[in-house]
Amino acid sequence: FNGVTDTHPTKREFYSLAAQVAGFAVPEFECGNDSTNYKIVSNTKVKQALGFSFKHDDLLGYLR
């Protein structure tokens, strides 16, 4: 089973928000570095098989 949120933010979105929340400078990213060739990990099996629900299903919403 995978313990991941329902949302799939990009690295840019996640690290920019995490830096802001922690009071750090927002990291700089190279243009065009948000690859669209990536794998999305799903939490569907754990929710269906065990009736599991996550406390925080939106990672970015949790950080805010």
Side-chain angles (χ1 to χ4, degrees):
F1 294 123
N2 295 304
V4 296
T5 65
D6 289 338
T7 58
H8 303 285
T10 63
K11 286 182 182 179
R12 180 187 305 258
E13 291 171 319
F14 174 77
Y15 286 109
S16 294
L17 181 58
Q20 287 176 347
V21 169
F24 297 128
V26 175
E28 293 183 25
F29 294 87
E30 293 181 19
C31 292
N33 203 16
D34 283 341
S35 175
T36 56
N37 187 17
Y38 58 90
K39 181 173 155 181
I40 293 182
V41 179
S42 173
N43 63 15
T44 302
K45 286 183 183 178
V46 72
K47 292 194 296 186
Q48 288 177 347
L50 302 178
F52 192 84
S53 65
F54 291 90
K55 233 183 218 186
H56 306 286
D57 60 353
D58 177 7
L59 183 60
L60 296 182
Y62 173 71
L63 288 176
R64 289 186 179 106

